[in-house]
Amino acid sequence: MAPRRLALLTALLLGIALVLVLWLRIPWAPTPQVADPTAGLTTDQLGRADAFAAAIRPASVANLLLGLLASGALGLTRTGARWITAVARPLGGGWFWQVVLGTVLLTLVGRLVTLPLSGYGEVVRHRYGLSTRSWPLWVRDLAVDTAITAGLTALGLLLLVGLARRAPRTWWAWAGAGAAGLVVVGSFLYPVVIEPAFNDFTSMPEGQLRTDLLALADENGTPVQDVLVADASRRTTALNAYVSGFGSTRRIVVYDTVLDQLPDAQVESIAAHELGHVATDDVLTGTLVGALGAGAGVALLGWLLGSAPLLRRAGAPGAGDPRVVPLVLLLVAVGTLVSTPVQNGVSRQLEARADQHALDLTADPESFAAVMRRLAVANLNQPDPPAVWQWFFGSHPTTAQRVAAAQEWSR
């Protein structure tokens, strides 16, 4: 079989495996019937959430489309290929430096193109009291995120181009296996490598809340190594908590804003929700889905990069030539955009199951409903956003649905 057809067949088979995993591992339960779309929020609270959404959403969509347009302008013309060649010329122009420096350059260009919209978004968050970051801290966070993104992207592209140079017919198979492996490794390393780049974490002081959270984890059958407090208030007034890591890196993380604003019963309700993800192995499921998705995506990429017309348009003779980098970045961006509603649809189902787990574990639907309302108010979330927006961008059930789930549990 021709390598390009084999790549497409592999992508299809991995896609089928991905669908099976989603079918077997995801609780495809119906959403609860919502009697009150306001979720009990006041008129002022609803108006504030609506005004924030009206101010931030158009900029968010424009940011997304502008970034995609910039990727298209570089990936579907010879401009990007010329940039890749030129940026590495001072260092001899070898393929290694073309990939590394070219990736850094394109990442920087992408950030600069969308910088005005990102800055506007931060202005809006300041205006509504959601962001507490100073502008120097905002610039620092943007620089760190850009550096991490450029570094990880360059690593992946070095793997792809290097393999394509050594194994022109089967590079996509080796690269797909490597991408799946990186997803697994990343799940283990993210809590101890990436998270500390943006927040400082300290162990929660000894006290009743810490004792209760550790006991809740034990009762859940998923003991944690520590309960950490993140200094989120340096950047935001938003409320959040989560459980991250596997085994020795598993810990409950609570924003300091949560401790400042919520009573202990509501903090425990949030933690119970997060522990629900652990009890049902959602992190493992996400890792497996991510690995299969990465493998299928790289195989599909192998099929696409076998298209001579597409390569000619990009100014690259093949996948083993560094000038293919802009085209690869474009195809990844398009694939990410297309898969977003699928990923969020899966996420909503997992979050709904974790909500039910929290209600079962704490047997306190009043605290659960109360904290969902507090989260909506603090994070400026509309309790019942437009259906299209929720379908595409909503990673959690709406506040109205979560409050309705608590009421159903009570009945």
Side-chain angles (χ1 to χ4, degrees):
M1 182 180 294
R4 191 169 181 233
R5 291 184 179 179
L6 183 59
L8 181 59
L9 177 61
T10 302
L12 291 174
L13 292 176
L14 289 175
I16 292 172
L18 178 58
V19 170
L20 288 175
V21 169
L22 293 176
W23 179 261
L24 296 173
R25 296 286 300 175
I26 307 301
W28 299 103
T31 57
Q33 293 296 317
V34 175
D36 180 12
T38 71
L41 272 62
T42 68
T43 301
D44 288 345
Q45 291 167 343
L46 292 171
R48 185 171 171 79
D50 289 343
F52 176 72
I56 200 72
R57 283 180 182 163
S60 298
V61 173
N63 191 317
L64 179 66
L65 295 178
L66 186 58
L68 194 62
L69 183 63
S71 293
L74 295 172
L76 292 179
T77 69
R78 295 177 180 268
T79 301
R82 287 195 292 266
W83 286 10
I84 295 293
T85 302
V87 74
R89 194 170 293 130
L91 295 179
W95 75 270
F96 177 91
W97 291 114
Q98 287 187 54
V99 172
V100 172
L101 297 180
T103 301
V104 171
L105 174 63
L106 296 181
T107 303
L108 286 174
V109 168
R111 288 298 168 92
L112 289 173
V113 166
T114 58
L115 186 61
L117 289 168
S118 298
Y120 169 78
E122 185 68 5
V123 169
V124 172
R125 293 182 182 90
H126 273 280
R127 183 187 306 159
Y128 283 86
L130 191 59
S131 176
T132 60
R133 278 189 296 193
S134 65
W135 285 106
L137 182 57
W138 179 78
V139 171
R140 179 263 181 197
D141 285 348
L142 187 66
V144 170
D145 182 68
T146 302
I148 291 174
T149 300
L152 294 178
T153 305
L155 178 63
L157 289 171
L158 278 173
L159 175 69
L160 186 151
V161 174
L163 287 171
R165 294 172 69 85
R166 293 185 64 87
R169 295 173 62 86
T170 59
W171 66 265
W172 51 268
W174 300 106
L182 288 175
V183 169
V184 175
V185 172
S187 295
F188 282 92
L189 294 183
Y190 187 88
V192 294
V193 177
I194 304 299
E195 288 178 3
F198 296 96
N199 288 107
D200 292 330
F201 299 88
T202 58
S203 291
M204 182 180 289
E206 296 294 336
Q208 190 60 50
L209 179 58
R210 177 184 172 87
T211 299
D212 289 345
L213 291 177
L214 291 172
L216 195 67
D218 289 338
E219 181 183 350
N220 192 55
T222 55
V224 297
Q225 298 300 313
D226 201 357
V227 180
L228 302 179
V229 179
D231 64 338
S233 59
R234 293 176 59 208
R235 293 173 170 82
T236 183
T237 59
L239 306 178
N240 196 20
Y242 56 91
V243 175
S244 66
F246 289 98
S248 61
T249 66
R250 182 190 297 154
R251 64 268 188 94
I252 297 175
V253 179
V254 180
Y255 279 17
D256 56 358
T257 52
V258 167
L259 299 182
D260 291 339
Q261 299 182 42
L262 300 183
D264 287 0
Q266 293 182 19
V267 176
E268 291 176 27
S269 189
I270 296 176
H273 165 92
E274 300 302 332
L275 289 168
H277 289 303
V278 182
T280 51
D281 291 324
D282 287 347
V283 176
L284 181 62
T285 298
T287 301
L288 179 58
V289 168
L292 286 171
V298 173
L300 184 60
L301 191 64
W303 177 70
L304 290 170
L305 294 183
S307 168
L310 189 61
L311 289 171
R312 279 197 302 270
R313 175 172 287 276
D321 190 290
R323 288 172 290 181
V324 80
V325 165
L327 176 60
V328 172
L329 293 177
L330 170 64
L331 294 175
V332 170
V334 171
T336 300
L337 181 65
V338 170
S339 66
T340 292
V342 177
Q343 294 178 50
N344 283 331
V346 170
S347 176
R348 289 193 295 272
Q349 292 292 329
L350 295 179
E351 297 295 339
R353 178 168 66 181
D355 285 349
Q356 292 297 316
H357 187 91
L359 291 165
D360 293 338
L361 187 60
T362 63
D364 189 358
E366 290 78 13
S367 291
F368 181 88
V371 79
M372 289 301 117
R373 296 188 185 100
R374 292 288 294 271
L375 287 171
V377 172
N379 300 344
L380 295 177
N381 293 331
Q382 290 178 306
D384 187 34
V388 173
W389 185 271
Q390 175 68 5
W391 170 75
F392 198 95
F393 293 105
S395 60
H396 290 63
T398 68
T399 302
Q401 291 169 343
R402 302 178 93 171
V403 170
Q407 294 168 344
E408 282 188 8
W409 190 94
S410 297
R411 289 191 292 269

